[in-house]
């Protein structure tokens, strides 16, 4: 068996059609020709997951989540089988596997399941037999034997989890951009590709809306110190972006990137009695359903009543709202309101730890564009503001310009290597 194992994940655009699948076959075969074993994880062909979801919505406003998982998992089955067929046709031994077949066991929280463990015996056996294993990403199997999925974008997490479980040398995420940029290059054309991003920064970037990586894949990579490389499947010469441990010797940029998340909604429970245990009640019911809440704000109490607002992913709104209506009645709150016309814009940078005034600069830049801040939250290496959705693009562009991100802040001007050459008399004369 070849000693080195590389996990390569190909996103939806990288397997979007027959031509792209054939291009992926070439990358895999070149990796094998370099003496490495390859385990591949694929997403569904571009647009397929959305197509399947739209079909289900034509039949029900709120389709059952167990059925959604079975439906959506078919997208990755198709692409993994097609890639395996293409590899075999090119003379490369390959076997495709579903979530169940690769032994990826999750909890039973349908549509956002978490990986519990991976039984790698079968995968190891296939790799030992010198085959490429092509795994259907995004899916697993619950302990009750039901098909589960890991949440939108979850194939990244399948890839890193398999890389960790198999002790792979590296995990390469092939996508439709050349790496991680200072902002979404679709929103900010002058965004700069970063050569290296620390696990902590990437964790913030991913959870703040840089959809290029699934947040839980970065958690896995960080916890198990698995180096990840994000690169383009249509430009193999570009080394992409490395994601790894922060180098303490290196100066960290104050702001590395600007992120925006337009898939956020805000719920406000108004006129809540200002008493101990009320917040625990509200957030307890959400936690019981594994609904993750992001920012929380409680207003100053007015005559024994207060308002509590929080944000959560838009996809969770229809599930959270009825729960809030119910709890509002129980705790005698006045009303529940929701707003999905919001976006969260954030700046991230490991160097923020040792610099002050960064948040003030962010707020000033946004106010110059007359952007109103609805909520604010910070961490050691991040500042986030909730704003109106229609101002999201303007906000990202303003912040990218304010922090001058198109320039590399750590790039020192290079010293001149040679002395300036004496000007030849003849040429100087000619001028
Ligand atoms: P895949 O289908 O390969 O998983 P995704 O669509 O999930 O690809 O992620 C790639 C997309 O992420 C890019 O096309 C880009 O528009 C978006 N993106 C958002 N923020 C960033 C960022 N900071 N750097 C790079 N890409 C980003
Ligand atoms: N196909 C799934 C999605 O579109 C998973 C993935 O692409 O990672 O979200
Ligand atoms: Mg993705």
């Amino acid at each position: 068996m070849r000693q080195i194992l590389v996990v390569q994940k190909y996103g939806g655009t990288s397997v979007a059609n027959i031509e792209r699948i054939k291009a992926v076959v070439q990358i895999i075969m070149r990796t094998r020709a370099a003496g490495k074993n390859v385990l591949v994880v694929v997403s569904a062909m571009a647009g397929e997951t959305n197509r399947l979801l739209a079909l289900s919505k034509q039949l029900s406003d709120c389709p059952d989540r167990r059925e959604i998982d079975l439906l959506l998992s078919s997208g990755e089955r198709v692409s993994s089988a097609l890639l395996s067929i293409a590899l075999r046709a090119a003379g490369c031994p390959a076997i495709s596997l579903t979530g169940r077949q690769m032994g990826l066991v999750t909890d039973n929280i349908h549509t956002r399941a978490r990986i519990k463990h991976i039984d790698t015996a079968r995968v190891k056996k296939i790799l030992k037999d010198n085959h490429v294993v092509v795994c259907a990403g995004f899916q697993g199997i619950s302990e009750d034997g039901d098909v589960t999925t890991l949440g939108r974008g979850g194939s990244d997490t399948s890839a890193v989890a398999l890389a960790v479980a198999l002790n792979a040398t590296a995990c390469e995420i092939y996508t439709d951009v050349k790496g991680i940029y200072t902002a979404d290059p679709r929103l900010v054309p002058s965004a700069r590709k970063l050569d290296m991003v620390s696990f902590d920064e990437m964790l913030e970037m991913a959870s703040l809306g840089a959809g290029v990586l699934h947040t839980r894949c970065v958690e896995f990579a960080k916890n198990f110190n698995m180096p990840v490389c994000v690169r383009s499947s249509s430009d193999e010469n570009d080394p992409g972006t490395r994601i790894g441990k922060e180098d303490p010797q290196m100066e960290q940029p104050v702001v590395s990137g600007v992120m925006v998340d337009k898939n956020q909604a805000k719920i406000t429970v108004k006129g809540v009695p200002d008493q101990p245990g009320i917040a625990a009640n509200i957030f307890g019911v959400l936690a019981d359903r594994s609904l993750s809440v992001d920012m929380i704000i409680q207003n100053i109490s007015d005559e024994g009543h207060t308002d509590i607002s929080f944000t959560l992913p838009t996809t969770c709104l229809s599930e959270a709202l009825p729960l809030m209506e119910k709890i509002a009645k129980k705790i005698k709150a006045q009303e529940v309101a929701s707003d999905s016309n919001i976006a969260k814009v954030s700046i991230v940078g490991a160097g923020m730890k040792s610099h002050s005034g960064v948040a003030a600069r962010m707020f000033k830049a946004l106010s110059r564009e007359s952007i109103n801040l609805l909520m604010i939250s910070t961490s050691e290496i991040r500042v986030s503001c909730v704003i109106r959705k229609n101002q999201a693009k303007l906000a990202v562009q303003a912040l990218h310009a304010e922090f001058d991100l198109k320039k590399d802040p750590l790039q020192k001007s290079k010293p001149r290597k040679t002395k300036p050459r004496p000007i030849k008399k003849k040429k100087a004369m000619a001028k």
Side-chain angles (χ1 to χ4, degrees):
M1 178 169 144
R2 298 149 193 251
Q3 289 305 306
I4 297 174
L5 171 68
V6 179
V7 172
Q8 297 183 338
K9 180 254 168 178
Y10 294 92
T13 39
S14 307
V15 291
N17 52 44
I18 298 300
E19 228 164 70
R20 301 290 301 134
I21 291 177
K22 285 183 178 172
V24 167
V25 167
Q26 293 309 312
I27 305 180
I28 296 168
M29 291 188 52
R30 274 195 284 274
T31 313
R32 276 175 56 94
K36 297 170 188 166
N37 251 320
V38 188
L39 179 136
V40 183
V41 175
V42 280
S43 287
M45 295 164 91
E48 181 62 6
T49 310
N50 287 342
R51 188 185 75 84
L52 294 168
L53 265 179
L55 282 179
S56 73
K57 288 274 162 71
Q58 286 179 38
L59 296 164
S60 162
D61 289 340
C62 196
D64 183 83
R65 295 193 3 225
R66 180 192 175 277
E67 304 309 325
I68 287 292
D69 272 353
L70 192 60
L71 176 71
L72 297 192
S73 68
S74 67
E76 272 72 10
R77 283 182 175 226
V78 169
S79 53
S80 57
L82 286 177
L83 179 57
S84 185
I85 290 170
L87 282 163
R88 283 165 174 260
C92 176
I95 286 183
S96 61
L97 297 177
T98 65
R100 179 199 291 269
Q101 290 169 327
M102 74 187 82
L104 196 149
V105 179
T106 71
D107 60 20
N108 60 2
I109 311 292
H110 286 288
T111 71
R112 46 174 183 274
R114 296 181 80 95
I115 300 174
K116 287 187 113 178
H117 58 91
I118 306 179
D119 177 359
T120 53
R122 184 161 184 195
V123 171
K124 279 185 178 153
K125 162 94 180 47
I126 301 171
L127 287 171
K128 201 168 167 209
D129 291 344
N130 201 24
H131 282 60
V132 171
V133 184
V134 186
C135 294
F138 174 57
Q139 58 189 271
I141 195 92
S142 72
E143 274 158 348
D144 319 325
D146 277 331
V147 172
T148 53
T149 64
L150 309 178
R152 297 303 306 267
S155 299
D156 298 332
T157 299
S158 311
V160 177
L162 282 159
V164 168
L166 293 160
N167 206 9
T169 319
C171 182
E172 300 172 344
I173 307 278
Y174 286 88
T175 183
D176 58 356
V177 283
K178 289 183 181 177
I180 308 294
Y181 284 70
T182 48
D184 186 342
R186 288 180 210 229
L187 293 179
V188 184
S190 62
R192 178 172 47 87
K193 183 174 72 82
L194 300 162
D195 295 334
M196 159 84 203
V197 178
S198 71
F199 284 132
D200 286 330
E201 280 178 320
M202 196 62 236
L203 205 50
E204 292 280 15
M205 287 181 180
S207 65
L208 294 169
V212 59
L213 282 184
H214 197 227
T215 309
R216 288 215 308 283
C217 99
V218 191
E219 272 169 15
F220 259 109
K222 182 186 166 189
N223 292 345
F224 296 94
N225 197 19
M226 171 57 62
V228 172
C229 180
V230 177
R231 52 195 305 190
S232 162
S233 57
S234 45
D235 185 357
E236 262 188 277
N237 296 324
D238 196 299
T241 302
R242 278 176 306 115
I243 299 154
K245 259 193 184 162
E246 189 176 310
D247 181 351
Q249 308 290 316
M250 282 271 290
E251 199 182 330
Q252 300 297 328
V254 179
V255 176
S256 302
V258 185
M259 274 73 231
V260 65
D261 186 351
K262 293 198 214 163
N263 298 314
Q264 290 275 313
K266 183 170 75 142
I267 293 186
T268 305
V269 188
K270 294 184 183 171
V272 174
D274 196 5
Q275 290 160 10
I278 293 288
N281 249 305
I282 293 178
F283 296 105
V285 285
L286 297 169
D288 287 346
R289 298 283 191 102
S290 301
L291 292 163
S292 57
V293 167
D294 182 20
M295 290 190 197
I296 301 175
I297 284 189
Q298 178 170 335
N299 284 349
I300 297 168
S301 173
D302 181 19
E303 293 177 7
H305 284 86
T306 181
D307 295 345
I308 295 182
S309 297
F310 58 90
T311 59
L312 76 178
T314 323
T315 46
C316 299
L317 189 60
S318 59
E319 205 182 332
L321 262 180
L323 293 174
M324 288 300 101
E325 307 274 6
K326 219 168 149 190
I327 197 97
K329 269 198 196 125
K330 188 177 147 201
I331 61 176
K332 299 195 170 56
Q334 280 152 11
E335 80 176 282
V336 177
S338 70
D339 182 357
S340 42
N341 253 323
I342 58 161
K344 183 171 63 176
V345 61
S346 313
I347 51 172
V348 175
M352 243 182 248
K353 283 183 223 168
S354 50
H355 282 77
S356 57
V358 185
R361 217 172 133 189
M362 176 184 191
F363 303 152
K364 259 188 217 153
L366 294 174
S367 80
R368 269 199 302 274
E369 303 295 337
S370 306
I371 296 172
N372 195 27
L373 311 184
L374 308 175
M375 289 168 120
I376 298 168
S377 82
T378 62
S379 83
E380 227 187 355
I381 62 165
R382 151 186 79 86
V383 186
S384 301
C385 300
V386 170
I387 59 172
R388 300 251 51 102
K389 198 180 254 176
N390 60 5
Q391 293 182 309
K393 190 172 176 185
L394 177 65
V396 179
Q397 290 175 342
L399 293 172
H400 201 267
E402 171 64 29
F403 292 99
D404 209 7
L405 294 180
K406 70 172 190 282
K407 274 202 224 127
D408 185 347
L410 303 178
Q411 192 86 54
K412 304 257 163 26
S413 51
K414 283 183 193 152
R416 286 177 102 149
K417 282 185 190 147
T418 48
K419 281 187 196 163
R421 273 198 239 143
I423 302 163
K424 280 187 190 159
K425 234 186 189 166
K426 233 181 171 178
K427 274 198 178 161
M429 294 281 287
K431 270 191 179 169

